[in-house]
PDB file of all heavy atoms in Angstrom:
ATOM      1  N   GLN A 220      18.108 -20.076   2.443  1.00  0.00           N
ATOM      2  CA  GLN A 220      16.783 -19.424   2.307  1.00  0.00           C
ATOM      3  C   GLN A 220      16.806 -17.860   2.166  1.00  0.00           C
ATOM      4  O   GLN A 220      16.083 -17.301   1.270  1.00  0.00           O
ATOM      5  CB  GLN A 220      15.898 -19.661   3.436  1.00  0.00           C
ATOM      6  CG  GLN A 220      14.433 -19.170   3.266  1.00  0.00           C
ATOM      7  CD  GLN A 220      13.483 -19.592   4.361  1.00  0.00           C
ATOM      8  OE1 GLN A 220      13.796 -20.575   5.177  1.00  0.00           O
ATOM      9  NE2 GLN A 220      12.423 -18.883   4.537  1.00  0.00           N
ATOM     10  N   ARG A 221      17.719 -17.315   2.846  1.00  0.00           N
ATOM     11  CA  ARG A 221      17.973 -15.770   2.800  1.00  0.00           C
ATOM     12  C   ARG A 221      18.417 -15.404   1.412  1.00  0.00           C
ATOM     13  O   ARG A 221      17.972 -14.369   0.806  1.00  0.00           O
ATOM     14  CB  ARG A 221      18.870 -15.440   3.852  1.00  0.00           C
ATOM     15  CG  ARG A 221      19.145 -13.766   3.914  1.00  0.00           C
ATOM     16  CD  ARG A 221      19.841 -13.379   5.105  1.00  0.00           C
ATOM     17  NE  ARG A 221      21.081 -14.020   5.084  1.00  0.00           N
ATOM     18  CZ  ARG A 221      22.050 -13.812   6.044  1.00  0.00           C
ATOM     19  NH1 ARG A 221      21.841 -13.073   7.066  1.00  0.00           N
ATOM     20  NH2 ARG A 221      23.287 -14.371   5.986  1.00  0.00           N
ATOM     21  N   THR A 222      19.353 -16.147   0.807  1.00  0.00           N
ATOM     22  CA  THR A 222      19.856 -15.953  -0.516  1.00  0.00           C
ATOM     23  C   THR A 222      18.902 -16.140  -1.497  1.00  0.00           C
ATOM     24  O   THR A 222      18.652 -15.296  -2.512  1.00  0.00           O
ATOM     25  CB  THR A 222      21.011 -16.882  -0.872  1.00  0.00           C
ATOM     26  OG1 THR A 222      22.070 -16.684   0.098  1.00  0.00           O
ATOM     27  CG2 THR A 222      21.594 -16.564  -2.275  1.00  0.00           C
ATOM     28  N   ALA A 223      17.900 -17.117  -1.447  1.00  0.00           N
ATOM     29  CA  ALA A 223      16.774 -17.309  -2.371  1.00  0.00           C
ATOM     30  C   ALA A 223      15.857 -16.121  -2.293  1.00  0.00           C
ATOM     31  O   ALA A 223      15.292 -15.715  -3.244  1.00  0.00           O
ATOM     32  CB  ALA A 223      16.091 -18.705  -2.091  1.00  0.00           C
ATOM     33  N   LEU A 224      15.504 -15.638  -1.154  1.00  0.00           N
ATOM     34  CA  LEU A 224      14.619 -14.606  -0.861  1.00  0.00           C
ATOM     35  C   LEU A 224      15.081 -13.343  -1.525  1.00  0.00           C
ATOM     36  O   LEU A 224      14.339 -12.475  -1.945  1.00  0.00           O
ATOM     37  CB  LEU A 224      14.353 -14.313   0.644  1.00  0.00           C
ATOM     38  CG  LEU A 224      13.336 -15.544   1.220  1.00  0.00           C
ATOM     39  CD1 LEU A 224      13.421 -15.298   2.813  1.00  0.00           C
ATOM     40  CD2 LEU A 224      11.952 -15.536   0.650  1.00  0.00           C
ATOM     41  N   ALA A 225      16.377 -13.139  -1.611  1.00  0.00           N
ATOM     42  CA  ALA A 225      16.867 -12.026  -2.306  1.00  0.00           C
ATOM     43  C   ALA A 225      16.686 -12.008  -3.750  1.00  0.00           C
ATOM     44  O   ALA A 225      16.656 -11.012  -4.446  1.00  0.00           O
ATOM     45  CB  ALA A 225      18.535 -11.850  -2.101  1.00  0.00           C
ATOM     46  N   LEU A 226      16.526 -13.293  -4.327  1.00  0.00           N
ATOM     47  CA  LEU A 226      16.181 -13.373  -5.831  1.00  0.00           C
ATOM     48  C   LEU A 226      14.760 -13.414  -6.090  1.00  0.00           C
ATOM     49  O   LEU A 226      14.409 -12.837  -7.110  1.00  0.00           O
ATOM     50  CB  LEU A 226      16.656 -14.715  -6.264  1.00  0.00           C
ATOM     51  CG  LEU A 226      18.304 -15.039  -6.109  1.00  0.00           C
ATOM     52  CD1 LEU A 226      18.614 -16.436  -6.541  1.00  0.00           C
ATOM     53  CD2 LEU A 226      19.000 -14.086  -7.040  1.00  0.00           C
ATOM     54  N   SER A 227      13.956 -13.901  -5.176  1.00  0.00           N
ATOM     55  CA  SER A 227      12.421 -13.932  -5.374  1.00  0.00           C
ATOM     56  C   SER A 227      11.675 -14.123  -4.044  1.00  0.00           C
ATOM     57  O   SER A 227      12.235 -14.787  -3.168  1.00  0.00           O
ATOM     58  CB  SER A 227      12.122 -15.006  -6.197  1.00  0.00           C
ATOM     59  OG  SER A 227      10.855 -15.168  -6.338  1.00  0.00           O
ATOM     60  N   PRO A 228      10.672 -13.450  -3.984  1.00  0.00           N
ATOM     61  CA  PRO A 228       9.876 -13.718  -2.687  1.00  0.00           C
ATOM     62  C   PRO A 228       9.111 -15.001  -2.666  1.00  0.00           C
ATOM     63  O   PRO A 228       8.608 -15.499  -1.622  1.00  0.00           O
ATOM     64  CB  PRO A 228       8.803 -12.567  -2.642  1.00  0.00           C
ATOM     65  CG  PRO A 228       8.600 -12.176  -4.105  1.00  0.00           C
ATOM     66  CD  PRO A 228      10.067 -12.416  -4.762  1.00  0.00           C
ATOM     67  N   HIS A 229       9.283 -15.739  -3.737  1.00  0.00           N
ATOM     68  CA  HIS A 229       8.508 -16.945  -3.908  1.00  0.00           C
ATOM     69  C   HIS A 229       9.615 -18.113  -3.865  1.00  0.00           C
ATOM     70  O   HIS A 229      10.401 -18.286  -4.874  1.00  0.00           O
ATOM     71  CB  HIS A 229       7.789 -17.007  -5.284  1.00  0.00           C
ATOM     72  CG  HIS A 229       6.678 -15.857  -5.370  1.00  0.00           C
ATOM     73  ND1 HIS A 229       5.551 -15.663  -4.531  1.00  0.00           N
ATOM     74  CD2 HIS A 229       6.773 -14.813  -6.143  1.00  0.00           C
ATOM     75  CE1 HIS A 229       4.913 -14.596  -4.890  1.00  0.00           C
ATOM     76  NE2 HIS A 229       5.684 -14.000  -5.921  1.00  0.00           N
ATOM     77  N   ILE A 230       9.613 -18.838  -2.853  1.00  0.00           N
ATOM     78  CA  ILE A 230      10.648 -19.989  -2.701  1.00  0.00           C
ATOM     79  C   ILE A 230       9.869 -21.203  -2.577  1.00  0.00           C
ATOM     80  O   ILE A 230       8.690 -21.222  -2.171  1.00  0.00           O
ATOM     81  CB  ILE A 230      11.518 -19.693  -1.524  1.00  0.00           C
ATOM     82  CG1 ILE A 230      10.753 -19.724  -0.143  1.00  0.00           C
ATOM     83  CG2 ILE A 230      12.282 -18.376  -1.650  1.00  0.00           C
ATOM     84  CD1 ILE A 230      11.585 -19.793   1.075  1.00  0.00           C
ATOM     85  N   THR A 231      10.621 -22.257  -2.917  1.00  0.00           N
ATOM     86  CA  THR A 231       9.960 -23.682  -2.809  1.00  0.00           C
ATOM     87  C   THR A 231      10.786 -24.393  -1.769  1.00  0.00           C
ATOM     88  O   THR A 231      11.868 -24.710  -1.858  1.00  0.00           O
ATOM     89  CB  THR A 231      10.196 -24.469  -4.247  1.00  0.00           C
ATOM     90  OG1 THR A 231       9.517 -23.565  -5.372  1.00  0.00           O
ATOM     91  CG2 THR A 231       9.601 -25.790  -4.087  1.00  0.00           C
ATOM     92  N   ALA A 232       9.956 -24.667  -0.738  1.00  0.00           N
ATOM     93  CA  ALA A 232      10.508 -25.503   0.401  1.00  0.00           C
ATOM     94  C   ALA A 232      10.315 -26.873   0.127  1.00  0.00           C
ATOM     95  O   ALA A 232       9.359 -27.297  -0.640  1.00  0.00           O
ATOM     96  CB  ALA A 232      10.106 -25.075   1.714  1.00  0.00           C
ATOM     97  N   LEU A 233      10.912 -27.819   1.119  1.00  0.00           N
ATOM     98  CA  LEU A 233      10.528 -29.284   0.968  1.00  0.00           C
ATOM     99  C   LEU A 233       9.086 -29.412   1.247  1.00  0.00           C
ATOM    100  O   LEU A 233       8.568 -28.740   2.231  1.00  0.00           O
ATOM    101  CB  LEU A 233      11.459 -30.071   1.847  1.00  0.00           C
ATOM    102  CG  LEU A 233      12.834 -30.490   1.298  1.00  0.00           C
ATOM    103  CD1 LEU A 233      13.771 -29.220   1.110  1.00  0.00           C
ATOM    104  CD2 LEU A 233      13.606 -31.498   2.309  1.00  0.00           C
TER     105      LEU A 233
END
Side-chain angles (χ1 to χ4, degrees):
Q220 184 175 343
R221 185 172 60 183
T222 301
L224 287 169
L226 297 174
S227 168
H229 307 292
I230 63 170
T231 303
L233 276 67

